[in-house]
Amino acid sequence: LVRGDGLLPRMEPFVGEYVADALTAAGAEVRRNTSVASVERPDTGGPVTLVLENGERIEADEVLFATGRAPRTEDVGLESVGLRPGSWLPVDDSCRVEGSEWLYGVGDVNHRALLTHQGKYQARIAAAAIVARAQGVPLLETDRWGAHAATADHAAVPQVVFTDPEAAAVGLSLAEAETAGHRVRAVDYDISSVAGASLYGDGYRGRARMIVDLDREILLGVTLVGPGVGELLHSATVAVVGEVPIERLWHAVPAYPTISEVWLRLLETYRS
């Protein structure tokens, strides 16, 4: 039961379609724009009844309900520094809490990028900033991609959803890039068309998209869906974070025959 129009709405729309198709093929029924009004379980260990907003009732053995996340800051003493207990911590790009000279917040608590690896990344940035300030460095490197700025939180968050097929993305989606005012082009390629896909498995289905900044000729984002695509994400992340020009990416010839050949095919599609 999906509250919105599709699955994984923070990724490109086609990603949710691939995952929904796979669920349907596996025998699941995917219902969109469906909200649950209440859940009933009269007998402990018995079936669960979900009452939908339209009044329909669905019976199930168990229910997994996604309710979102909340910060665990109720009892850590935030009130002693003028912050509201139970709130997210607003931080700057050095991860220092706004309005404080000494308090830092890394990981989920700052609500910037709720992923384990982003928390580790923020910790490295915060540690560098703490040391620099303690040493009296007069001007921190807080410019874009500077040593004391968690720029990736805004521009290049890599993420993998381990569904079947896998979904992976880094940087901006087409909608996000357009909303941010970039002049962009989305380039798509069917991953099943590369030789490595048939080596990976029969009946491979997948799709790759790169978002090209037409003014700077760099990648702003990459999205992939298909079996094993999570292993392709780091190379995409390097290209996005390094703001590698398209012409340089053209010289990074992938090993043949591997699924990474899709990078070459995306570049050929862009050039054509």
Side-chain angles (χ1 to χ4, degrees), residues 164-185:
D164 182 8
E166 287 181 2
V170 61
L172 305 180
S173 66
L174 175 60
E176 289 170 337
E178 291 177 338
T179 299
H182 298 288
R183 193 172 67 91
V184 296
R185 176 185 166 193

Side-chain angles (χ1 to χ4, degrees), residues 42-232:
D43 300 319
T44 302
V48 184
T49 299
L50 293 85
V51 182
L52 307 185
E53 283 191 339
N54 63 5
E56 183 181 354
R57 301 170 71 88
I58 298 176
E59 188 175 279
D61 294 326
E62 299 292 346
V63 176
L64 176 64
F65 208 105
T67 60
R69 280 182 270 189
R72 299 290 298 275
T73 59
E74 302 92 345
D75 56 357
V76 296
L78 290 186
E79 66 280 0
S80 66
V81 292
L83 297 171
R84 181 171 59 85
S87 64
W88 303 101
L89 299 184
V91 300
D92 61 20
D93 277 355
S94 71
C95 294
R96 184 167 66 176
V97 175
E98 295 175 0
S100 173
E101 291 296 319
W102 58 269
L103 182 61
Y104 291 74
V106 301
D108 289 3
V109 74
N110 62 34
H111 206 246
R112 287 166 65 100
L114 306 182
L115 296 162
T116 300
H117 51 274
Q118 289 298 125
K120 295 177 181 179
Y121 164 69
Q122 292 166 8
R124 296 197 300 269
I125 298 296
I130 290 169
V131 170
R133 286 177 173 134
Q135 293 176 342
V137 174
L139 186 64
L140 269 62
E141 297 179 33
T142 54
D143 55 314
R144 183 176 171 85
W145 301 118
H148 310 116
T151 306
D153 288 349
H154 309 299
V157 175
Q159 53 193 304
V160 181
V161 182
F162 294 99
T163 44
D164 182 8
E166 287 181 2
V170 61
L172 305 180
S173 66
L174 175 60
E176 289 170 337
E178 291 177 338
T179 299
H182 298 288
R183 193 172 67 91
V184 296
R185 176 185 166 193
V187 182
D188 295 300
Y189 198 80
D190 184 346
I191 302 178
S192 66
S193 297
V194 302
S198 60
L199 290 177
Y200 189 95
D202 295 334
Y204 189 103
R205 291 185 69 246
R207 181 173 170 185
R209 166 174 288 182
M210 66 181 190
I211 306 301
V212 181
D213 183 324
L214 297 175
D215 295 317
R216 302 175 61 197
E217 288 279 299
I218 61 171
L219 300 187
L220 295 179
V222 174
T223 299
L224 306 143
V225 61
V229 295
E231 301 303 327
L232 298 175

Side-chain angles (χ1 to χ4, degrees), residues 194 232 254-255 258-264:
V194 302
L232 298 175
T258 65
I259 296 179
S260 61
E261 182 191 351
V262 71
W263 301 129
L264 181 59

Side-chain angles (χ1 to χ4, degrees), residues 19-40:
V19 175
D21 288 347
L23 286 170
T24 301
E29 178 185 350
V30 180
R31 297 195 189 184
R32 308 166 197 259
N33 299 305
T34 303
S35 293
V36 177
S38 63
V39 179
E40 304 168 356

